[in-house]
Amino acid sequence: MGKFIYDEDIKVDFDDRVLAHLQAVMVAKLRRQESFLLSWKDNATIGDGRSTVWLHPRASIVFKYYGSRTPALNRTWIDQLMYNANQPHGLYVTPEPPDEHAAVHEA
């Protein structure tokens, strides 16, 4: 279980695999100086609601992984997450789809 830390105060747990994909999308957008929303479903222990933060190029963010191995990235999922991040409602986690790009490279 990894942790996304925003401005030192907001700490959110994500599976390492999910966090790696979120990181790929966030870093790509922030490198292009693009700001966007990130939303997630809160843990039931803090009310089972939803939270959203505004990410911008000067935001302090940390990606803390608990596993020692870097997960392989699913390009189809990254494309889907990037599409969401570019919409008015912003980036949020969706279920991982099959990696259509991997099938092309394996054939």
Side-chain angles (χ1 to χ4, degrees):
M1 187 63 66
K3 190 171 292 290
F4 170 73
I5 304 167
Y6 179 79
D7 282 342
E8 299 180 21
D9 296 327
I10 298 173
K11 298 174 181 165
V12 186
D13 291 326
F14 289 103
D15 178 82
D16 276 359
R17 181 160 181 75
V18 172
L19 189 59
H21 286 79
L22 290 174
Q23 178 180 340
V25 172
M26 289 184 216
V27 168
K29 289 194 63 68
L30 295 173
R31 279 186 180 155
R32 293 189 301 252
Q33 301 295 308
E34 296 175 4
S35 299
F36 59 99
L37 293 170
L38 169 66
S39 297
W40 62 89
K41 187 173 177 356
D42 293 325
N43 189 302
T45 61
I46 62 168
D48 205 24
R50 187 174 57 87
S51 295
T52 302
V53 294
W54 180 248
L55 289 166
H56 55 89
R58 291 183 286 306
S60 173
I61 59 176
V62 176
F63 302 94
K64 171 65 178 149
Y65 294 90
Y66 290 98
S68 60
R69 295 184 183 177
T70 304
L73 296 179
N74 175 336
R75 179 58 191 253
T76 302
W77 198 13
I78 290 173
D79 291 346
Q80 184 179 74
L81 294 170
M82 184 64 78
Y83 175 83
N84 292 345
N86 289 325
Q87 301 306 307
H89 58 278
L91 177 59
Y92 60 94
V93 178
T94 58
E96 181 174 2
D99 189 351
E100 296 170 4
H101 298 279
V104 171
H105 293 348
E106 292 173 4

